[in-house]
Amino acid sequence: MAVCLHHHLDSISSFKSETEVEEPEVDTAVPFRQKPFCKYSGHTADLLDLSWSKNYFLLSSSMDKTVLWHISRRECLDCFQHVDFVTAITFHPRDDRYFLSGSLDGKLRLWNIPEKKVALWNEVDGSTKLITAANFCQNGRFAVIGTYDGRCIFYETEHLKYFTQIHVRSTRGRNRVGRKITGIEPFSAESKVLVTSNDSRIRLYDLRDLSLSIKYKGCLNNSSQIRAGFSHDCQYIISGSEDRYIYLWKTYHDVTRFSSVRRDRNDFWEGIKGMEELLPYGIAQSRTK
């Protein structure tokens, strides 16, 4: 199994001499190169998650193991063995000597990379312990995991001690039973967190009181590991979909433009036809000249 990296035209030059990659032809009409800048091979099973650090380290989790790479090296730097599938990984936002992993064995682990060992760990309570998503929020103060039965569980990162949890579900209808959490994205500027789940809903929660701020509807996500994300300025939310469209919402719609609209629901989206394949993840970024 390989990991391919397609770099932006403006950022590729700084790594060319280190990796000694053959310079592909450049099509100035597109923002990304058509050929991979770098390709890593080593996994023997499906890839499940990726995470970049601020120092260009890359973690790739798989059904076989978790692997650490660096953009300047061709070979794997280290492997971090787990007893079950590693469904979610993420670097600590302030210290990339540490990363968080979530596994189907129900354990959340905080790894110390230089010491190559688990620094802290905790286990999910309840009858369904499968971890399906993980991330940090509030600039690393909390580690949060998502579960197969629709819970977001928060732990204090310093000791990985249980703090609180949110049941991600609707108050009525067929979605009143929690569905699998497929994505967790922090909105640190406003102490909020964006949660994607298998009921085709994306929800923005306020971490100050754990209340639901806004629910975003439009995309189709019934069984896939789809994860919504913010644009770089958090003005927009973007998501892939099982109907092969890319969906885009304003994080906060202007309620003054509508005669009757609920502030806690955002059904106003733009859809863009994507590919012939499922789009599991979307990233919105702007480019300045």
Side-chain angles (χ1 to χ4, degrees), residues 187 190 192-197 199-205 212-221 228-230 234-239 247-253 262-269:
F187 187 3
E190 296 192 11
K192 295 182 179 181
V193 65
L194 189 71
V195 181
T196 315
S197 54
D199 57 0
S200 299
R201 302 292 186 268
I202 302 166
R203 296 171 174 88
L204 185 67
Y205 288 95
L212 176 63
S213 296
I214 304 176
K215 183 191 297 183
Y216 305 89
K217 299 171 62 177
C219 66
L220 184 64
N221 179 22
F230 289 106
C234 293
Q235 296 298 307
Y236 297 92
I237 291 169
I238 188 169
S239 176
Y247 285 81
L248 186 71
W249 300 261
K250 283 187 176 181
T251 304
Y252 298 112
H253 53 244
R262 290 181 54 171
R263 293 176 180 269
D264 63 343
R265 183 176 297 169
N266 189 340
D267 301 333
F268 305 98
W269 48 265

Side-chain angles (χ1 to χ4, degrees), residues 51-60 66-70 76-82 89-101 109-120 136:
S51 178
W52 280 102
S53 81
K54 58 182 178 293
N55 291 314
Y56 302 107
F57 286 95
L58 174 66
L59 283 167
S60 57
T66 302
V67 177
L68 178 67
W69 314 86
H70 191 271
C76 168
L77 301 180
D78 218 328
C79 296
F80 299 87
Q81 297 286 351
H82 292 68
I89 49 171
T90 183
F91 276 104
H92 192 287
R94 292 184 290 108
D95 190 344
D96 56 13
R97 295 175 300 171
Y98 297 90
F99 74 90
L100 194 67
S101 71
R109 297 172 174 88
L110 183 66
W111 291 84
N112 183 314
I113 295 176
E115 296 183 6
K116 302 179 182 180
K117 68 178 185 180
V118 176
L120 299 166
F136 290 97

Side-chain angles (χ1 to χ4, degrees), residues 149-283:
D149 58 357
R151 290 178 292 158
C152 278
I153 307 175
F154 294 80
Y155 300 85
E156 295 176 347
T157 303
E158 185 176 0
H159 301 292
L160 218 59
K161 182 181 178 181
Y162 172 84
F163 182 73
T164 190
Q165 63 180 300
I166 299 172
H167 289 269
V168 180
R169 58 189 178 188
S170 299
T171 56
R172 61 183 184 275
R174 63 188 182 94
N175 293 328
R176 67 182 182 275
V177 177
R179 303 287 297 278
K180 182 177 72 170
I181 305 298
T182 60
I184 300 170
E185 292 294 321
F187 187 3
S188 299
E190 296 192 11
S191 191
K192 295 182 179 181
V193 65
L194 189 71
V195 181
T196 315
S197 54
N198 269 164
D199 57 0
S200 299
R201 302 292 186 268
I202 302 166
R203 296 171 174 88
L204 185 67
Y205 288 95
D206 193 324
L207 297 181
R208 292 170 293 186
D209 57 5
L210 303 183
S211 63
L212 176 63
S213 296
I214 304 176
K215 183 191 297 183
Y216 305 89
K217 299 171 62 177
C219 66
L220 184 64
N221 179 22
N222 291 321
S223 59
S224 304
Q225 194 70 19
I226 291 173
R227 181 170 62 195
F230 289 106
S231 62
H232 75 289
D233 55 5
C234 293
Q235 296 298 307
Y236 297 92
I237 291 169
I238 188 169
S239 176
S241 176
E242 290 176 355
D243 62 6
R244 298 178 177 85
Y245 274 76
I246 301 169
Y247 285 81
L248 186 71
W249 300 261
K250 283 187 176 181
T251 304
Y252 298 112
H253 53 244
D254 184 3
V255 296
T256 61
R257 295 177 54 197
F258 306 96
S259 58
S260 177
V261 63
R262 290 181 54 171
R263 293 176 180 269
D264 63 343
R265 183 176 297 169
N266 189 340
D267 301 333
F268 305 98
W269 48 265
E270 294 285 345
I272 304 169
K273 180 66 174 178
M275 308 176 183
E276 296 304 316
E277 302 294 333
L278 171 69
L279 293 167
Y281 185 48
I283 300 176

